PDB file of all heavy atoms in Angstrom:
ATOM      1  N   SER T  69      -5.793   5.837  -8.999  1.00 56.00           N
ATOM      2  CA  SER T  69      -6.177   4.438  -9.217  1.00 56.00           C
ATOM      3  C   SER T  69      -6.265   3.600  -7.948  1.00 56.00           C
ATOM      4  O   SER T  69      -6.637   2.438  -8.023  1.00 56.00           O
ATOM      5  CB  SER T  69      -5.190   3.781 -10.179  1.00 56.00           C
ATOM      6  OG  SER T  69      -3.883   3.788  -9.619  1.00 56.00           O
ATOM      7  N   GLY T  70      -5.932   4.160  -6.806  1.00 68.00           N
ATOM      8  CA  GLY T  70      -5.869   3.377  -5.584  1.00 68.00           C
ATOM      9  C   GLY T  70      -7.224   2.977  -5.033  1.00 68.00           C
ATOM     10  O   GLY T  70      -8.127   3.796  -4.915  1.00 68.00           O
ATOM     11  N   LEU T  71      -7.358   1.704  -4.730  1.00 88.00           N
ATOM     12  CA  LEU T  71      -8.526   1.159  -4.040  1.00 88.00           C
ATOM     13  C   LEU T  71      -8.000   0.318  -2.885  1.00 88.00           C
ATOM     14  O   LEU T  71      -7.399  -0.735  -3.101  1.00 88.00           O
ATOM     15  CB  LEU T  71      -9.371   0.306  -4.984  1.00 88.00           C
ATOM     16  CG  LEU T  71     -10.133   1.072  -6.055  1.00 88.00           C
ATOM     17  CD1 LEU T  71     -10.647   0.119  -7.124  1.00 88.00           C
ATOM     18  CD2 LEU T  71     -11.284   1.855  -5.427  1.00 88.00           C
ATOM     19  N   PHE T  72      -8.220   0.778  -1.672  1.00 86.00           N
ATOM     20  CA  PHE T  72      -7.705   0.093  -0.487  1.00 86.00           C
ATOM     21  C   PHE T  72      -8.335  -1.293  -0.357  1.00 86.00           C
ATOM     22  O   PHE T  72      -9.543  -1.437  -0.437  1.00 86.00           O
ATOM     23  CB  PHE T  72      -7.991   0.940   0.758  1.00 86.00           C
ATOM     24  CG  PHE T  72      -7.452   0.336   2.013  1.00 86.00           C
ATOM     25  CD1 PHE T  72      -6.095   0.336   2.263  1.00 86.00           C
ATOM     26  CD2 PHE T  72      -8.305  -0.228   2.942  1.00 86.00           C
ATOM     27  CE1 PHE T  72      -5.593  -0.212   3.428  1.00 86.00           C
ATOM     28  CE2 PHE T  72      -7.815  -0.774   4.117  1.00 86.00           C
ATOM     29  CZ  PHE T  72      -6.457  -0.773   4.356  1.00 86.00           C
ATOM     30  N   GLN T  73      -7.490  -2.293  -0.170  1.00 90.00           N
ATOM     31  CA  GLN T  73      -7.854  -3.694   0.034  1.00 90.00           C
ATOM     32  C   GLN T  73      -8.414  -4.364  -1.220  1.00 90.00           C
ATOM     33  O   GLN T  73      -9.198  -5.310  -1.126  1.00 90.00           O
ATOM     34  CB  GLN T  73      -8.838  -3.841   1.190  1.00 90.00           C
ATOM     35  CG  GLN T  73      -8.218  -3.642   2.556  1.00 90.00           C
ATOM     36  CD  GLN T  73      -7.252  -4.736   2.943  1.00 90.00           C
ATOM     37  OE1 GLN T  73      -6.105  -4.727   2.530  1.00 90.00           O
ATOM     38  NE2 GLN T  73      -7.702  -5.660   3.744  1.00 90.00           N
ATOM     39  N   MET T  74      -8.031  -3.892  -2.392  1.00 91.00           N
ATOM     40  CA  MET T  74      -8.506  -4.499  -3.634  1.00 91.00           C
ATOM     41  C   MET T  74      -8.135  -5.973  -3.711  1.00 91.00           C
ATOM     42  O   MET T  74      -8.928  -6.786  -4.190  1.00 91.00           O
ATOM     43  CB  MET T  74      -7.945  -3.731  -4.839  1.00 91.00           C
ATOM     44  CG  MET T  74      -8.398  -4.274  -6.165  1.00 91.00           C
ATOM     45  SD  MET T  74     -10.163  -4.111  -6.377  1.00 91.00           S
ATOM     46  CE  MET T  74     -10.263  -3.933  -8.130  1.00 91.00           C
ATOM     47  N   SER T  75      -6.960  -6.350  -3.246  1.00 90.00           N
ATOM     48  CA  SER T  75      -6.541  -7.754  -3.347  1.00 90.00           C
ATOM     49  C   SER T  75      -7.427  -8.667  -2.493  1.00 90.00           C
ATOM     50  O   SER T  75      -7.748  -9.782  -2.905  1.00 90.00           O
ATOM     51  CB  SER T  75      -5.068  -7.911  -2.951  1.00 90.00           C
ATOM     52  OG  SER T  75      -4.861  -7.482  -1.622  1.00 90.00           O
ATOM     53  N   VAL T  76      -7.850  -8.203  -1.326  1.00 91.00           N
ATOM     54  CA  VAL T  76      -8.734  -9.003  -0.465  1.00 91.00           C
ATOM     55  C   VAL T  76     -10.112  -9.119  -1.111  1.00 91.00           C
ATOM     56  O   VAL T  76     -10.702 -10.201  -1.164  1.00 91.00           O
ATOM     57  CB  VAL T  76      -8.840  -8.388   0.949  1.00 91.00           C
ATOM     58  CG1 VAL T  76      -9.869  -9.121   1.787  1.00 91.00           C
ATOM     59  CG2 VAL T  76      -7.476  -8.403   1.628  1.00 91.00           C
ATOM     60  N   ALA T  77     -10.630  -8.004  -1.623  1.00 93.00           N
ATOM     61  CA  ALA T  77     -11.929  -8.033  -2.292  1.00 93.00           C
ATOM     62  C   ALA T  77     -11.883  -8.962  -3.504  1.00 93.00           C
ATOM     63  O   ALA T  77     -12.812  -9.754  -3.721  1.00 93.00           O
ATOM     64  CB  ALA T  77     -12.332  -6.622  -2.712  1.00 93.00           C
ATOM     65  N   ARG T  78     -10.821  -8.883  -4.279  1.00 93.00           N
ATOM     66  CA  ARG T  78     -10.670  -9.747  -5.456  1.00 93.00           C
ATOM     67  C   ARG T  78     -10.718 -11.216  -5.043  1.00 93.00           C
ATOM     68  O   ARG T  78     -11.388 -12.030  -5.685  1.00 93.00           O
ATOM     69  CB  ARG T  78      -9.363  -9.438  -6.181  1.00 93.00           C
ATOM     70  CG  ARG T  78      -9.139 -10.278  -7.435  1.00 93.00           C
ATOM     71  CD  ARG T  78      -7.780 -10.060  -8.106  1.00 93.00           C
ATOM     72  NE  ARG T  78      -7.530  -8.666  -8.432  1.00 93.00           N
ATOM     73  CZ  ARG T  78      -6.609  -7.890  -7.843  1.00 93.00           C
ATOM     74  NH1 ARG T  78      -5.833  -8.383  -6.891  1.00 93.00           N
ATOM     75  NH2 ARG T  78      -6.447  -6.652  -8.205  1.00 93.00           N
ATOM     76  N   LYS T  79     -10.014 -11.565  -3.985  1.00 92.00           N
ATOM     77  CA  LYS T  79     -10.000 -12.955  -3.511  1.00 92.00           C
ATOM     78  C   LYS T  79     -11.404 -13.403  -3.109  1.00 92.00           C
ATOM     79  O   LYS T  79     -11.842 -14.500  -3.477  1.00 92.00           O
ATOM     80  CB  LYS T  79      -9.038 -13.115  -2.343  1.00 92.00           C
ATOM     81  CG  LYS T  79      -8.969 -14.533  -1.807  1.00 92.00           C
ATOM     82  CD  LYS T  79      -7.824 -14.721  -0.856  1.00 92.00           C
ATOM     83  CE  LYS T  79      -7.771 -16.100  -0.242  1.00 92.00           C
ATOM     84  NZ  LYS T  79      -7.988 -17.222  -1.123  1.00 92.00           N
ATOM     85  N   MET T  80     -12.125 -12.571  -2.377  1.00 92.00           N
ATOM     86  CA  MET T  80     -13.493 -12.929  -1.981  1.00 92.00           C
ATOM     87  C   MET T  80     -14.386 -13.105  -3.210  1.00 92.00           C
ATOM     88  O   MET T  80     -15.174 -14.049  -3.283  1.00 92.00           O
ATOM     89  CB  MET T  80     -14.087 -11.857  -1.057  1.00 92.00           C
ATOM     90  CG  MET T  80     -13.478 -11.832   0.329  1.00 92.00           C
ATOM     91  SD  MET T  80     -14.146 -10.493   1.355  1.00 92.00           S
ATOM     92  CE  MET T  80     -15.754 -11.186   1.787  1.00 92.00           C
TER      93      MET T  80
END
Side-chain angles (χ1 to χ4, degrees):
S69 62
L71 289 166
F72 182 73
Q73 287 292 81
M74 181 64 150
S75 60
V76 174
R78 181 185 305 112
K79 180 168 177 44
M80 289 177 76

